[in-house]
Amino acid sequence: MILPREEGLVRAERLMRRALEVARTTPPGDVPVGAVVYGPDGRELAAATNRREADADPTAHAEVLAIREAVRRHGDAWRLEGCTLVVTLEPCTMCSGALLGARVGELVFGAWEPKTGACGSLLDAVRAPGQLHRPQVRAGVLEGECAELLSGFFESLR
């Protein structure tokens, strides 16, 4: 059954509110980004925040950490087909590669990232020609709330 567009947006906003909740738990000093992976049945498989500074790990982006945990819980080896990744900020090239490699079925993101975004801003890795896997993408969900969380963080550094 195909849901009307409004119902899809209502679902995306509900899922994004959870990602915002997760983002607000980001360790001090890390950019507040939250990512949540949902299984095909809608069950939350994993949630993570950015932890680059906390873990001294350049790959500890919220999306990568959530994907790693979701793969452990999902039970289909490394594949997250039919799963949804919801993240408060447009994924970078590394995170876009990770979600493509894991075959995430749907990506929902909030704020656009014009400096490093790889899902339509700077690059569009998820829809690039020749991709073997193309997730559905819904962009700009609760964009204002997601952007406000980030701008508040960066203003506090000034």
Side-chain angles (χ1 to χ4, degrees), residues 28-152:
D30 273 294
V31 177
V33 175
V36 183
V37 178
Y38 295 91
D41 61 357
R43 175 177 57 103
E44 184 176 308
L45 295 173
T49 65
N50 268 352
R51 297 190 52 86
R52 285 189 318 173
E53 299 298 327
D55 295 353
D57 178 354
T59 69
H61 289 204
E63 301 95 318
V64 171
L65 298 175
I67 288 169
R68 286 177 185 162
E69 182 61 27
V71 163
R72 284 191 279 277
R73 291 186 178 171
H74 185 52
D76 187 16
W78 50 268
R79 294 169 194 83
L80 294 176
E81 292 174 348
C83 294
T84 300
L85 170 63
V86 181
V87 61
T88 56
L89 182 65
E90 178 183 3
C92 68
T93 306
M94 176 183 69
C95 294
S96 295
L99 74 92
L100 289 171
R103 295 187 183 163
V104 170
E106 178 184 20
L107 167 65
V108 176
F109 72 85
W112 291 91
E113 175 44 281
K115 294 179 181 176
T116 62
C119 297
S121 287
L122 180 64
L123 303 169
D124 198 351
V126 295
R127 290 177 285 247
Q131 288 293 357
L132 298 176
H133 173 73
R134 288 184 189 226
Q136 293 180 9
V137 178
R138 184 180 291 262
V141 176
L142 299 180
E143 181 178 5
E145 290 179 51
C146 294
E148 186 177 311
L149 182 63
L150 292 160
S151 62

Side-chain angles (χ1 to χ4, degrees), residues 13-25:
E13 288 179 349
R14 177 177 52 79
L15 299 178
M16 185 60 71
R17 289 190 198 294
R18 171 67 178 132
L20 278 162
E21 183 181 292
V22 170
R24 290 184 185 100
T25 69

